[in-house]
Amino acid sequence: MASILQHAFYQQCATDVAPNLLGAVLVRDFEGQRVSGMIVETEAYTGQADAASHAYRGRTKRNQPMWEAPGHAYVYLNYGVHWMLNVVCEPVGQPAAVLIRAIEPVEGLDIIRHNRVGRRRQQWASGPGRLTLALQIDQHHNQLDLTKKTSGLWIEQGHTIPSDQIKQGPRIGLGKRVSTEWINKPWRWWIDGNPHVSR
DNA sequence: ACGGAGATCTTCT
DNA sequence: GAAGATCTCCGTT
């Protein structure tokens, strides 16, 4: 049995947590059946100073979970269509989180195939909106504690990825309103060559 | 293979 | 009223 990542793991800067999450396994419990995938791509959103973060303009009803304790989920609807899964981190008491951008399906492939009917396997969970569809993650998971199995969603220790297989680059999809200083931060990490990384 | 538009919720101007 | 941490479909090459 792999161990579940505990609060201490998330109790550091999002820029440390994000690369450390690569190789870990995101697990969804479907009435006893495990549906899971290895995390292959993440993005860090740091404290309130980060112009690309939802926390930048202060607290709102939506981003409120970012002020929760580390290890909690921040799930929100983007473009009115896609659910995004974040894990809250704790850089010096600031609201910060890591966006899980892509996973490689590992367990419960029948369920994932059903959730992503008609799509090629490589597209089952290769994107933040896709992985939430694959694992059926939505508003019900917002603010849950991901260090507890009772949440039905947690993250387990997985493979250790050699540092030479970890690539790093600018975050994706940030708007023009964000200054280049923040757009250029290389705060997206992924496993080099993994086919389930988003494009 | 590639580009544009639609979907449709929350927040900000 | 517009834009956003996106994805899919449908048009044209």
Side-chain angles (χ1 to χ4, degrees):
Chain A
M1 276 287 285
S3 58
I4 298 180
L5 298 178
Q6 293 302 303
H7 291 103
F9 177 90
Y10 302 103
Q11 208 139 20
Q12 49 184 334
C13 292
T15 50
D16 290 324
V17 174
N20 288 342
L21 274 175
L22 296 176
V25 180
L26 178 65
V27 183
R28 175 88 160 86
D29 175 58
F30 271 103
E31 298 165 353
Q33 158 117 39
R34 288 167 58 97
V35 180
S36 73
M38 180 177 75
I39 297 173
V40 299
E41 182 181 358
T42 57
E43 254 176 26
Y45 289 86
T46 62
Q48 206 153 358
D50 184 350
S53 171
H54 284 174
Y56 182 56
R57 294 171 192 285
R59 213 155 163 155
T60 66
K61 187 178 179 188
R62 179 177 65 168
N63 68 19
Q64 137 76 20
M66 293 186 82
W67 279 262
E68 281 285 338
H72 282 245
Y74 169 38
V75 182
Y76 75 93
L77 190 61
N78 201 20
Y79 296 101
V81 181
H82 300 288
W83 294 103
M84 302 281 140
L85 171 64
N86 299 257
V87 195
V88 174
C89 302
E90 189 81 13
V92 290
Q94 287 222 31
V98 171
L99 171 68
I100 311 294
R101 287 193 54 90
I103 63 175
E104 172 179 338
V106 174
E107 298 167 283
L109 301 186
D110 290 342
I111 293 180
I112 293 178
R113 182 184 299 110
H114 180 257
N115 290 339
R116 302 287 294 140
V117 58
R119 277 84 187 171
R120 307 243 284 266
R121 180 168 183 152
Q122 203 171 298
Q123 313 193 102
W124 283 355
S126 54
R130 291 174 178 174
L131 77 89
T132 53
L133 285 170
L135 300 195
Q136 288 179 227
I137 294 167
D138 56 31
Q139 67 270 39
H140 298 109
H141 303 279
N142 193 25
Q143 226 157 342
L144 290 182
D145 186 347
L146 298 184
T147 66
K148 291 184 165 61
K149 271 196 173 181
T150 50
S151 294
L153 185 65
W154 63 86
I155 302 177
E156 292 176 357
Q157 193 168 46
H159 305 272
T160 300
I161 309 299
S163 56
D164 63 349
Q165 287 178 30
I166 296 180
K167 295 290 185 201
Q168 178 176 187
R171 294 174 288 185
I172 289 182
L174 307 185
K176 303 169 195 158
R177 295 174 24 250
V178 181
S179 70
T180 54
E181 173 196 355
W182 293 98
I183 289 181
N184 291 334
K185 300 278 188 193
W187 288 348
R188 168 179 171 252
W189 288 265
W190 67 94
I191 297 178
D192 190 26
N194 187 290
H196 299 270
V197 171
S198 73
R199 16 203 74 197

